[in-house]
Amino acid sequence: MNKRTYFLISGLVFAIVAIVHLLRVINQLPVVIGTWSAPMAASWIGLIVAGILSYCGFALMCKEKGT
């Protein structure tokens, strides 16, 4: 696997994670693990972090194409 493929797959995986977090926020879906209920702020943070990582993956893929 070359770098370009790795960056593409990473960008896609993080994009899917960001979309799942966005859907949770939009639909106000509860997440309960045992007796702990995950706050909605966790999905906002997850959305931002996964979105940034997805963008970086795609940006690095485009940068790698030029070399």
Side-chain angles (χ1 to χ4, degrees), residues 20-49:
V20 170
H21 280 293
L22 180 63
L23 290 174
R24 178 183 181 228
V25 169
I26 290 172
N27 295 317
Q28 297 291 311
L29 298 173
V31 173
V32 179
I33 303 170
T35 59
W36 179 71
S37 180
M40 201 58 65
S43 278
W44 279 110
I45 293 169
L47 171 64
I48 293 167
V49 171

Side-chain angles (χ1 to χ4, degrees), residues 4-64:
R4 190 166 189 271
T5 304
Y6 175 79
F7 293 142
L8 173 64
I9 292 170
S10 297
L12 286 173
V13 168
F14 283 116
I16 291 168
V17 170
I19 290 168
V20 170
H21 280 293
L22 180 63
L23 290 174
R24 178 183 181 228
V25 169
I26 290 172
N27 295 317
Q28 297 291 311
L29 298 173
V31 173
V32 179
I33 303 170
T35 59
W36 179 71
S37 180
M40 201 58 65
S43 278
W44 279 110
I45 293 169
L47 171 64
I48 293 167
V49 171
I52 291 170
L53 290 173
S54 176
Y55 172 78
C56 289
F58 290 128
L60 287 170
M61 180 193 69
C62 291
K63 183 178 178 182
E64 192 65 29

